[in-house]
C-alpha cells in the first residue's frame, strides 16, 4: 500500500523522543472516533482466553513490550506508528495486533465504516494501461498526502508475479523507504523494506473481476498485523519516447480499520522528477481534479554518511520505569484495557 501504515491504538498524545508524532490538524478513522465517543472498555479476558499464546509471546519479549507502549502513545497518528514499527516491530507484535484487534476484537474499534468513497474513481484514468510499462525500478518523487506519501528515499521495484509473466496481470512490488528521526533527538533514520502484491484489473482473466470504479489495479492484505485494501488509478503517464521523460501519476483510495484514506504520487526514473515532465504531470493532475502545486517533493537524496538505526536488539533491555510505563504510562496496559480512563475521550 502507499505506506498507509494505519494503526488503531489509543493512548496519550505524547510519544517517546524517537517517535514524536507529526503535527496534524485532524486525525481520521479510529482517532476521530476515539475523541468523539467515550470508548468501550476492552475485553480483558479476551487477551488471555482468545489470544493467550500471542499475548504470552509478546509480553515475554521486552522489545514487544516497548513496541506496544510506543504504539499506544501514537493515538493513531501515522508517522508516529510507522516509527514504532521501524524501531520495535516484530512478528510477535504483528500476531498480537492481528489477534486482539481484528480477529477477536479484544480492543474495541469503530464498526460499519463507510468505505464507499473508495470506489469513486477518476474519469481521466488511463485506458488500456500496459502493466509491463511498470516493470523495473521507479522513484517516488512527489506526493500529496503527508501521512502516507512523503517518507524519504522511496523506490518501488515491480516484477511480474510468477505465472503472470505473459501479460503482467499480477505484479510484486518491492518497497524501500526511510523513516527519519528528528535532528533534535539525535537524527538518523530507519530503513524499511516490504513487499506488496498488486492485481491489475482489465488484463487477462482479471477482466472478469468486479471493477465499478474503473481502477487500474488493486491490492489487499495485512501489514503489521492489520488488514488494508487499496485501489490504484494511473491517471497520467509518459513512456519517455517523446520529449517528456518517463513518469506515472498515481492516485489511490483505500481503507483500514482506522478509516478511509486517499492520496496521489508521481513515479519517475530519476530521484527528482525532471523539469521537462512537470507540465505533463500538472496537466494530468488537473484533469483528475488534483493540483500538482500542492504536492511535496520527496527527499530522495539518501545520504550514506551514517548507518541506519535498525537494530534487532533495540529494546531488549528493560528497567523498572519501563514496566511502570507499560502498566500505567501513556500507551500502557490500562490505556488498552480501559481506553480514555484519564477522560481524554469524553464527548464535549
Amino acid at each position: 500500500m502507499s505506506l498507509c501504515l494505519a494503526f488503531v491504538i489509543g493512548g496519550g498524545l505524547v510519544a517517546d523522543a524517537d517517535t514524536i508524532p507529526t503535527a496534524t490538524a485532524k486525525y481520521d478513522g479510529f482517532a476521530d472516533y476515539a475523541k468523539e465517543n467515550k470508548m468501550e472498555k476492552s475485553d480483558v479476558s479476551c487477551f488471555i482466553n482468545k489470544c493467550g499464546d500471542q499475548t504470552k509471546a509478546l509480553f515475554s519479549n521486552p522489545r514487544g513490550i516497548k513496541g506496544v507502549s510506543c504504539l499506544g502513545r501514537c493515538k493513531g497518528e501515522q508517522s508516529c506508528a510507522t516509527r514504532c514499527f521501524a524501531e520495535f516491530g516484530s512478528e510477535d507484535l504483528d500476531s498480537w495486533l492481528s489477534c486482539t484487534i481484528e480477529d477477536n476484537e479484544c480492543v474495541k474499534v469503530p464498526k460499519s465504516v463507510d468505505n464507499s468513497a473508495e470506489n469513486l474513481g477518476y474519469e481521466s484514468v488511463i485506458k488500456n494501461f500496459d502493466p509491463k510499462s511498470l516493470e523495473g525500478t521507479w522513484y517516488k518523487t512527489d506526493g500529496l498526502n503527508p501521512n502516507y506519501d512523503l517518507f524519504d528515499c522511496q523506490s518501488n521495484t515491480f516484477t511480474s508475479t510468477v505465472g503472470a509473466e505473459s501479460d503482467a496481470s499480477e505484479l510484486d512490488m518491492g518497497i524501500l523507504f526511510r523513516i527519519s528521526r528528528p535532528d533534535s533527538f539525535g537524527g538518523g533514520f530507519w530503513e524499511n523494506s516490504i513487499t506488496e502484491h498488486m492485481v491489475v484489473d482489465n488484463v487477462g482473466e482479471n477482466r472478469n473481476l468486479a471493477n465499478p470504479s474503473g481502477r487500474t489495479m488493486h491490492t489487499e492484505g495485512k501489514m503489521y498485523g492489520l488488514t488494508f485494501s487499496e485501489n490504484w488509478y494511473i491517471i497520467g503517464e509518459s513512456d519517455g519516447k517523446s520529449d517528456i521523460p518517463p513518469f506515472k501519476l498515481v492516485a489511490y483510495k483505500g481503507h483500514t480499520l482506522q478509516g478511509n484514506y486517499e492520496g496521489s504520487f508521481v513515479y519517475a526514473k530519476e530521484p527528482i522528477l525532471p523539469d521537462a515532465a512537470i507540465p505533463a504531470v500538472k496537466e494530468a493532475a488537473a484533469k483528475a481534479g488534483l493540483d500538482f502545486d500542492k504536492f511535496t517533493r520527496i527527499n530522495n537524496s539518501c545520504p550514506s554518511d551514517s548507518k541506519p538505526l535498525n537494530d534487532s536488539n533495540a529494546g531488549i533491555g528493560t528497567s523498572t520505569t519501563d514496566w511502570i510505563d507499560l502498566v500505567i504510562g501513556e500507551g500502557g496496559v490500562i490505556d488498552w484495557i480501559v481506553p480514555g480512563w484519564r477522560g481524554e475521550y469524553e464527548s464535549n
Side-chain angles (χ1 to χ4, degrees):
M1 58 193 190
S2 10
L3 296 186
C4 52
L5 305 176
F7 308 106
V8 295
I9 317 306
L13 282 171
V14 180
D16 278 338
D18 289 351
T19 53
I20 300 297
T22 57
T24 53
K26 181 179 182 342
Y27 297 109
D28 55 16
F30 175 85
D32 277 347
Y33 176 86
K35 289 194 291 185
E36 294 172 4
N37 299 269
K38 182 174 176 60
M39 298 290 289
E40 299 178 49
K41 293 183 178 180
S42 298
D43 182 355
V44 180
S45 64
C46 176
F47 288 93
I48 302 302
N49 296 335
K50 296 181 179 179
C51 299
D53 291 343
Q54 294 85 348
T55 298
K56 181 179 179 180
L58 181 71
F59 287 92
S60 297
N61 178 358
R63 182 182 175 90
I65 292 169
K66 291 189 175 183
V68 169
S69 297
C70 181
L71 285 172
R73 287 187 287 270
C74 288
K75 202 171 185 178
E77 203 280 317
Q78 309 288 341
S79 299
C80 175
T82 305
R83 286 192 286 270
C84 290
F85 277 99
E87 188 169 7
F88 300 116
S90 66
E91 291 185 5
D92 287 340
L93 181 56
D94 292 354
S95 297
W96 188 78
L97 290 171
S98 180
C99 185
T100 59
I101 293 177
E102 288 198 340
D103 298 343
N104 294 290
E105 297 185 353
C106 306
V107 178
K108 306 301 181 184
V109 297
K111 298 180 180 179
S112 303
V113 175
D114 181 5
N115 299 320
S116 58
E118 184 177 330
N119 289 317
L120 298 177
Y122 297 85
E123 292 184 1
S124 61
V125 67
I126 299 296
K127 308 298 182 185
N128 300 315
F129 175 73
D130 179 9
K132 284 185 172 294
S133 68
L134 263 180
E135 292 181 334
T137 298
W138 295 81
Y139 293 95
K140 191 179 289 187
T141 63
D142 301 81
L144 182 60
N145 190 325
N147 287 332
Y148 302 91
D149 301 333
L150 302 183
F151 296 100
D152 294 345
C153 299
Q154 294 193 58
S155 64
N156 293 173
T157 300
F158 293 87
T159 57
S160 294
T161 303
V162 175
E165 294 91 345
S166 61
D167 57 9
S169 57
E170 297 185 33
L171 296 168
D172 294 317
M173 177 174 60
I175 302 170
L176 295 175
F177 63 99
R178 289 182 180 182
I179 301 169
S180 297
R181 183 170 65 176
D183 289 339
S184 56
F185 295 101
F189 61 89
W190 291 278
E191 286 185 332
N192 287 259
S193 175
I194 55 180
T195 302
E196 291 181 24
H197 181 72
M198 310 292 297
V199 176
V200 184
D201 296 275
N202 297 322
V203 174
E205 295 182 358
N206 296 342
R207 296 179 188 276
N208 298 321
L209 297 174
N211 187 11
S213 69
R215 68 194 177 196
T216 306
M217 60 186 73
H218 65 279
T219 181
E220 59 183 21
K222 282 196 172 186
M223 186 173 291
Y224 301 131
L226 303 180
T227 299
F228 71 93
S229 174
E230 189 168 291
N231 292 337
W232 280 31
Y233 305 85
I234 308 297
I235 54 177
E237 66 175 343
S238 169
D239 59 10
K241 294 180 181 178
S242 62
D243 294 332
I244 303 173
F247 77 85
K248 308 287 184 187
L249 178 58
V250 181
Y252 61 86
K253 296 184 178 183
H255 73 271
T256 67
L257 279 176
Q258 189 173 344
N260 304 309
Y261 61 88
E262 60 183 287
S264 181
F265 58 84
V266 182
Y267 280 137
K269 285 295 186 177
E270 303 173 39
I272 297 176
L273 180 67
D275 290 342
I278 291 177
V281 173
K282 284 188 172 183
E283 181 180 359
K287 287 181 179 179
L290 303 175
D291 182 356
F292 184 67
D293 289 338
K294 294 182 179 179
F295 284 55
T296 299
R297 176 175 290 178
I298 293 167
N299 180 4
N300 285 326
S301 60
C302 308
S304 57
D305 55 352
S306 62
K307 294 182 178 180
L309 298 170
N310 303 66
D311 181 0
S312 60
N313 292 320
I316 60 173
T318 56
S319 65
T320 301
T321 300
D322 291 328
W323 286 99
I324 293 174
D325 284 345
L326 174 64
V327 178
I328 64 173
E330 289 181 319
V333 170
I334 296 180
D335 277 341
W336 285 74
I337 295 174
V338 190
W341 65 281
R342 298 180 181 86
E344 66 267 37
Y345 297 153
E346 295 282 358
S347 299
N348 294 326

